[in-house]
Amino acid sequence: MNELQRQAYLSSLGIENYMPRWCLPKAPPPVACDWSDVNVNHIVSEGFLSSDSAVESEVGRDGSAFFSKEPAALPSVSPVKISSLLEDVAAPKKPVVSSTPVQPERSKEPVVQPFSLSLWRPTPGFLVIDTRDASLALPTELLLSNLLRVYLGPDWSGGLSEEVLRWPMVENRFVSQTLDDARVELQTWLAVEHELRPITRLWLMGENAVRYFAAENINIDEFRFRSLPLALGGLAGVYLPGLNQLLQQPLLKASLWAAIR
């Protein structure tokens, strides 16, 4: 290409010096720049050539010593050599065996399998979150209705409508979900829920309904049948056995009544 254009391209790319190593097969021969009508001072001011005095004295003010009027003689190579060179560049590198002992990989946080929670809203401000296990097919809603009928008294209408909260809320098969991921997502959901419909009474029934909402660094087993501090400040819930567990272990109902009273 024209030498001025070539220098402009190299300058734009931030390349100060460039020299081709091979003349590729079927490539046009290089053509020297005709400097007869070129102002070297303009070339220097544009940054194509260095303004260093030593370089200028070696090049000459007219650039005649730097660029020959004859085509530059570049070493040529055969197509076979170029092909072999490209194959060598593209060939995968052999793995380097290090003498340094490999450090064992740190244990990753266990992955939490998808699960779901059952939600009920018996009265305004009253939220019940239960660990859901549809595979057991037990009459959990009927049991909850009986509990609430006694707990809330005759004024309660007795209407219940179950909502199912599935986690993860946005399924992504390519990302492993950990305990921290579940905590962040469910605690964010509870914060939004409390903002939209303020919660004044909260029952957390079963382990899954507790572990993701509880404050960190506490032993949730110590708060069973007691008020449990939650990660969301200003809100507390009562940790109760799950409805499925109450149906399978009826003797737990005595402790449950003592807790909610």
Side-chain angles (χ1 to χ4, degrees), residues 50-61:
S50 173
S51 59
D52 185 81
S53 58
V55 175
E56 288 187 7
S57 61
E58 186 176 333
V59 172
R61 299 299 297 174

Side-chain angles (χ1 to χ4, degrees), residues 180-240:
D180 285 341
D181 296 327
R183 281 190 179 130
V184 170
E185 191 168 358
L186 291 175
Q187 288 171 13
T188 302
W189 169 84
L190 185 61
V192 173
E193 183 71 20
H194 183 52
E195 182 72 21
L196 297 176
R197 288 175 282 195
I199 300 170
T200 57
R201 191 179 309 172
L202 177 62
W203 286 3
L204 299 172
M205 309 187 74
E207 186 177 351
N208 270 359
V210 172
R211 68 165 65 185
Y212 304 108
F213 299 108
E216 294 186 13
N217 303 323
I218 66 170
N219 184 2
I220 61 176
D221 293 334
E222 296 178 358
F223 291 89
R224 199 175 186 192
F225 299 108
R226 294 170 51 195
S227 179
L228 175 77
L230 303 185
L232 180 61
L235 189 64
V238 181
Y239 179 14
L240 303 172

Side-chain angles (χ1 to χ4, degrees), residues 77-116:
V77 294
S78 64
V80 176
K81 188 171 182 179
I82 290 295
S83 300
S84 62
L85 175 67
L86 296 178
E87 290 177 359
D88 292 341
V89 173
K93 303 294 183 180
K94 293 183 179 180
V96 179
V97 180
S98 175
S99 58
T100 305
V102 179
Q103 297 293 334
E105 187 178 354
R106 294 182 179 180
S107 58
K108 297 181 180 179
E109 189 175 353
V111 175
V112 177
Q113 297 301 320
F115 62 90
S116 58

Side-chain angles (χ1 to χ4, degrees), residues 20-257:
R21 296 180 61 187
W22 299 287
C23 182
L24 298 177
K26 300 182 180 181
V31 178
C33 177
D34 185 4
W35 287 87
S36 57
D37 297 328
V38 175
N39 186 343
V40 176
N41 291 329
H42 172 70
I43 302 301
V44 171
S45 65
E46 290 295 328
F48 297 147
L49 298 177
S50 173
S51 59
D52 185 81
S53 58
V55 175
E56 288 187 7
S57 61
E58 186 176 333
V59 172
R61 299 299 297 174
D62 59 353
S64 57
F66 192 79
F67 293 103
S68 172
K69 294 295 183 74
E70 300 298 328
L74 297 177
S76 61
V77 294
S78 64
V80 176
K81 188 171 182 179
I82 290 295
S83 300
S84 62
L85 175 67
L86 296 178
E87 290 177 359
D88 292 341
V89 173
K93 303 294 183 180
K94 293 183 179 180
V96 179
V97 180
S98 175
S99 58
T100 305
V102 179
Q103 297 293 334
E105 187 178 354
R106 294 182 179 180
S107 58
K108 297 181 180 179
E109 189 175 353
V111 175
V112 177
Q113 297 301 320
F115 62 90
S116 58
L117 301 172
S118 294
L119 309 178
W120 289 280
R121 308 174 194 274
T123 59
F126 188 1
L127 179 62
V128 178
I129 303 178
D130 180 41
T131 301
R132 190 170 186 267
D133 189 353
S135 62
L136 296 177
L138 296 176
T140 54
E141 189 164 320
L142 179 60
L143 172 61
L144 181 61
S145 296
N146 293 336
L147 293 174
L148 293 173
R149 188 172 289 108
V150 177
Y151 176 70
L152 296 176
D155 295 335
W156 182 56
S157 62
L160 282 178
S161 178
E162 181 185 12
E163 302 174 31
V164 178
L165 176 63
R166 290 181 173 84
W167 185 88
M169 299 178 186
V170 179
E171 186 175 356
N172 187 346
R173 296 178 300 170
F174 303 101
V175 178
S176 297
Q177 304 284 355
T178 64
L179 181 61
D180 285 341
D181 296 327
R183 281 190 179 130
V184 170
E185 191 168 358
L186 291 175
Q187 288 171 13
T188 302
W189 169 84
L190 185 61
V192 173
E193 183 71 20
H194 183 52
E195 182 72 21
L196 297 176
R197 288 175 282 195
I199 300 170
T200 57
R201 191 179 309 172
L202 177 62
W203 286 3
L204 299 172
M205 309 187 74
E207 186 177 351
N208 270 359
V210 172
R211 68 165 65 185
Y212 304 108
F213 299 108
E216 294 186 13
N217 303 323
I218 66 170
N219 184 2
I220 61 176
D221 293 334
E222 296 178 358
F223 291 89
R224 199 175 186 192
F225 299 108
R226 294 170 51 195
S227 179
L228 175 77
L230 303 185
L232 180 61
L235 189 64
V238 181
Y239 179 14
L240 303 172
L243 293 173
N244 284 310
Q245 189 177 7
L246 288 172
L247 288 169
Q248 294 172 325
Q249 304 176 37
L251 295 180
L252 291 175
K253 294 179 182 178
S255 300
L256 180 141
W257 283 118

